[in-house]
Amino acid sequence: MFTIGVISASAASALHMIAVAENMLGKKTYIYKPYIYKNLEELKNIFKQHCVHISGWLFTGPNPYYVVKKYLKPDYNAVCSTISGNEIYKYLLEYL
């Protein structure tokens, strides 16, 4: 079982991303954990505090991805995505 951290500034966006992923791949394959931030400065702490429990990260936009990117190891599974089912599906198939 993989745990995917979904990072977004909006709870609605994170929940939408999770719903699309669950609809495509089912709820039994992955556990999705939303992490909502208010400002970009919070991302470093969110990532460092939770990265040991997360198999991969899904960012709902480019800004949080670029803030956290410098803390990611080269082999770490992380992707920035718009809210598109095809991009979520591609991420889950290719990176996990």
Side-chain angles (χ1 to χ4, degrees):
M1 180 93 52
F2 292 101
T3 303
I4 307 297
V6 180
I7 295 184
S8 179
S10 162
S13 293
L15 294 176
H16 178 72
M17 187 76 76
I18 291 169
V20 170
E22 287 178 340
N23 187 36
M24 295 175 119
L25 300 172
K27 295 181 180 182
K28 295 182 181 180
T29 308
Y30 302 95
I31 297 170
Y32 303 94
K33 293 191 174 186
Y35 296 97
I36 310 305
Y37 65 93
K38 293 181 183 176
N39 58 60
L40 293 173
E41 291 79 31
E42 296 176 40
L43 292 172
K44 177 182 174 183
N45 290 333
I46 289 172
F47 177 76
K48 287 187 173 190
Q49 182 178 2
H50 299 285
C51 70
V52 296
H53 307 291
I54 300 295
S55 307
W57 293 94
L58 184 58
F59 298 88
T60 61
N63 291 337
Y65 175 75
Y66 289 117
V67 169
V68 173
K69 185 178 178 180
K70 61 185 167 191
Y71 304 108
L72 297 172
K73 295 178 182 176
D75 61 340
Y76 208 85
N77 297 322
V79 69
C80 170
S81 179
T82 58
I83 302 191
S84 161
N86 291 335
E87 291 174 357
I88 296 168
Y89 188 67
K90 180 180 180 215
Y91 163 72
L92 293 173
L93 288 177
E94 289 183 2
Y95 295 101
L96 299 179

